[in-house]
Amino acid sequence: MTGTGTDIGFIGLGNMGGPMAANLIKAGHRVTGFDLSATSLDAFKSAGGCPAASVQEAVKGAKAVVTMLPAGKHLRAVYLGEDGVLSALTEPTLLVDCSTVDVESARAVAAAAAERNHAMIDAPVSGGVGGAEAGALTFMVGGEEEALDCARPLLEAMGKTIVHAGGAGNGQAAKICNNMVLGISMIAVSEAFTLAEKLGLSHQALFDISSKASGQCWSLTTYCPVPGPVPTSPANRDYQPGFTAAMMLKDLKLAQEASAGVGATTPLGAEAGQVYQLFCNAGNEEVDFSGVIKMLRGENG
Ligand code: NAD
């Protein structure tokens, strides 16, 4: 899969897929892409990609297909639909889905691909648009080891960290479990700062103590929801994302769907979903998810 001339069909050239495809092109791959949005296709063309008129045209003859789509229903339509990826491929092809989708859809599409002798991995990412642009994404991979080995050169062109999480769908499982921790912990840290404010404890004092004590976590030390203690956190730029509240809500909903499907007990995950639903309903979908502290303070929502 390495070197110039590798044919990749790339479907879904949005905020994430656009820069990811651009990095594959920079690494010397020949990439043919398709997106429903003409604007995304134009940007892809400017980055050196070859725009196609349909999913089928983009993947025909490709050695590998990469997808970066909004949700499970788009994934199923793009792979399993009448004019979809699986019906267009005539040779065994490596399939790499980087979208964040429900575990069930990921496993259903991987099973359909396996029936037709295609190796498939689910490889959702963390790192956001900045990570996609910098080629610094983290991939959480579900699928066979051999398929991951084939995909590795492609993933390395788009990211820095690759973790194999197990069989098909386990990349998605890892992603939603991690983001459930993140959603809950951001609310926990935000509640602590809100309480501290009312008790007359300064942001810096709470940060200095908790970051060295048992309250220490990523939401506090890397992504602190109040301005000051961590200068790079979105709180210092009026909560511009970053990672939007809408994305967090999506992942918390996926976690709850998965929980319901397997009978797991995740009450705080459910509660975090409710909190982000309220925050989004108040018009904050595009605000960084750490902005939830404003709602907890009663500033909006
Ligand atoms: P986006 O909406 O910008 O891009 C998705 C693209 O898919 C759109 O351009 C859309 O036109 C295209 N699309 C949808 N259906 C299609 C079809 N049938 N054929 C061709 N194109 C189609 O979304 P994004 O921010 O790039 O996110 C993509 C995925 O990555 C999502 O699953 C998201 O949860 C995940 N993700 C996003 C971020 C982030 O910070 N944006 C971070 C991690 C993971």
Side-chain angles (χ1 to χ4, degrees), residues 29 117 158 182:
H29 297 290
N117 288 324
M158 300 185 284
L182 178 62

Side-chain angles (χ1 to χ4, degrees), residues 128-219:
V129 174
E133 286 169 350
L137 294 169
T138 292
F139 290 94
M140 295 154 245
V141 180
E144 302 283 336
E145 187 89 51
E146 301 78 52
L148 170 56
D149 285 343
C150 293
R152 218 172 264 283
L154 302 186
L155 301 184
E156 282 168 355
M158 300 185 284
K160 283 211 180 347
T161 308
I162 301 165
V163 185
H164 191 201
N170 278 22
Q172 301 295 350
K175 165 96 186 175
I176 57 172
C177 288
N178 179 72
N179 281 14
M180 187 172 77
V181 174
L182 178 62
I184 294 169
S185 70
M186 182 54 78
I187 294 168
V189 170
S190 297
E191 286 188 2
F193 275 108
T194 306
L195 176 60
E197 286 163 4
K198 294 219 186 274
L199 295 174
L201 176 65
S202 76
H203 291 162
Q204 194 64 48
L206 177 60
F207 179 85
D208 290 344
I209 293 158
S210 276
S211 61
K212 299 278 181 292
S214 47
Q216 191 276 333
C217 64
W218 190 92
S219 292

Side-chain angles (χ1 to χ4, degrees), residues 68-84:
M68 193 51 165
L69 297 160
K73 66 176 181 191
H74 308 92
L75 179 77
R76 288 176 189 259
V78 164
Y79 279 93
L80 310 179
E82 217 171 281
D83 299 323

Side-chain angles (χ1 to χ4, degrees), residues 5 9 114-115 124 127 129 208 239 242 284 297-298 301:
E115 267 174 31
V129 174
D208 290 344
Y239 303 96
N284 295 306
R297 276 197 200 109

Side-chain angles (χ1 to χ4, degrees), residues 9-170:
F10 203 118
I11 314 295
L13 301 161
N15 292 325
M16 295 292 288
M20 289 164 71
N23 280 327
L24 288 171
I25 294 163
K26 274 189 217 147
H29 297 290
R30 195 148 56 86
V31 185
T32 304
F34 176 66
D35 195 292
L36 297 174
S37 145
T39 317
S40 299
L41 266 184
D42 285 347
F44 171 65
K45 193 176 173 191
S46 306
C50 175
S54 66
V55 168
Q56 296 227 334
E57 191 183 309
V59 305
K60 221 159 225 159
K63 295 189 180 67
V65 173
V66 182
T67 45
M68 193 51 165
L69 297 160
K73 66 176 181 191
H74 308 92
L75 179 77
R76 288 176 189 259
V78 164
Y79 279 93
L80 310 179
E82 217 171 281
D83 299 323
V85 172
L86 294 189
S87 72
L89 296 173
T90 51
E91 298 291 324
T93 306
L94 174 65
L95 308 176
V96 179
D97 177 50
C98 299
S99 328
T100 300
V101 303
D102 57 287
V103 175
E104 213 180 307
S105 293
R107 289 185 177 153
V109 173
E115 267 174 31
R116 295 169 191 235
N117 288 324
H118 304 300
M120 180 161 195
I121 58 170
D122 50 292
V125 304
S126 74
V129 174
E133 286 169 350
L137 294 169
T138 292
F139 290 94
M140 295 154 245
V141 180
E144 302 283 336
E145 187 89 51
E146 301 78 52
L148 170 56
D149 285 343
C150 293
R152 218 172 264 283
L154 302 186
L155 301 184
E156 282 168 355
M158 300 185 284
K160 283 211 180 347
T161 308
I162 301 165
V163 185
H164 191 201
N170 278 22

